[in-house]
């Protein structure tokens, strides 16, 4: 009997606790959105023997999306010293995360397509390497170059 | 009058407090004549000046023709917003992707190694069907 009374008291208390006044709200009709919050360049090192640039620290970008249609990355050429060179970029090791969760993505050498259709903040991390297309390329010492990456968010 | 229209547009369009953004997003519109005008609000919430270029692509990603913008490159100070008015040929139905692409950073317009491109899908139901 005592147990029944205690159980009834617990249920009653729980009911009272849930019966308090609330602030009910709704986010309203928010628009589709793609917003780049942050972009950080990475760095790469050159190995003359294999004519390959390898990422030393990855480039990153943070993108906030709501109902995004697509999020993709494409690679450009090697630029520097007032010249451009064709390179074959491989994005292996790159990732896209939403919070602590990895996002499904397709890496096809020099392009990345990520599944970023759910609302949230996505972090794009660009790892990989780039090999000179022209095997005759011969660089000066201590010259700066970069490879451009375009991150496209379609809303 | 022009200022009033701009102010009204800024009130209608959502204020987005981020780095590089563009609004509105996906929209379907009906042309009322052989051309159709559409306004986009691009914003620079970075802490440095940027240069944005307006580009228009077909749905398949190829460069679109039949569109006109008075100025396709915008130098934007930190925290600034610009209204970009684009006029499209609209004789037939068009499926387009309108983008603002980061082309320069800082007053010296240094090329950014990582380029942000924000795009909005736009369907214009053509005047001629």
């Amino acid at each position: 009997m005592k147990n029944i009374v205690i159980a009834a008291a617990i249920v009653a208390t729980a009911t009272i606790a849930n019966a308090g006044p609330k602030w009910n709200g709704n986010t309203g009709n928010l628009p589709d959105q793609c917003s780049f919050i942050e972009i950080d360049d990475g760095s790469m090192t050159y190995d003359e023997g294999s004519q390959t640039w390898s990422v030393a620290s990855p480039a990153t970008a943070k993108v906030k999306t709501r109902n995004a249609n697509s999020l993709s990355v494409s690679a450009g050429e090697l630029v520097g010293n007032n010249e451009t060179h064709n390179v074959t970029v491989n994005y292996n090791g790159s990732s896209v995360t939403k919070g602590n969760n990895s996002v499904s993505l397709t890496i096809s050498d020099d392009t990345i397509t990520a599944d970023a259709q759910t609302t949230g903040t996505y972090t794009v991390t660009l790892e990989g390497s780039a090999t000179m297309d022209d095997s005759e390329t011969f660089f000066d010492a201590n010259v700066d170059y970069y490879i451009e990456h375009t991150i496209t968010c379609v809303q | 009058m022009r200022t009033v229209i701009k102010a009204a547009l800024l009130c209608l369009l959502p204020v987005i407090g981020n780095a590089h953004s563009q609004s509105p997003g996906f929209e379907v519109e009906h042309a009322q004549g052989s051309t159709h005008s559409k306004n986009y609000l691009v914003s620079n919430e970075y802490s440095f000046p940027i240069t944005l270029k307006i580009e228009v692509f077909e749905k398949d990603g190829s460069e679109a023709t039949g569109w006109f913008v008075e100025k396709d490159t915008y130098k934007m100070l930190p925290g600034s917003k610009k209204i970009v008015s684009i006029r499209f040929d609209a004789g037939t139905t068009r499926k387009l992707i309108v983008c603002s692409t980061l082309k320069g950073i800082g007053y010296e317009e240094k090329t950014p190694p990582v380029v942000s491109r924000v795009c909005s899908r736009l369907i214009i139901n053509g005047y001629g069907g």
Side-chain angles (χ1 to χ4, degrees), chain B residues 78-105:
Chain B
S80 66
K81 297 174 192 297
K82 301 266 187 192
I83 294 170
V84 180
S85 185
I86 307 175
R87 195 172 71 236
F88 301 93
D89 292 344
T92 56
T93 293
R94 307 192 67 180
K95 294 181 179 179
L96 302 167
I97 300 171
V98 181
C99 302
S100 56
T101 305
L102 183 67
K103 287 291 179 186
I105 288 176

Side-chain angles (χ1 to χ4, degrees), chain A residues 1 5 59 71 105 118:
Chain A
M1 181 63 183
V5 171
L71 180 64
L105 71 165
T118 58

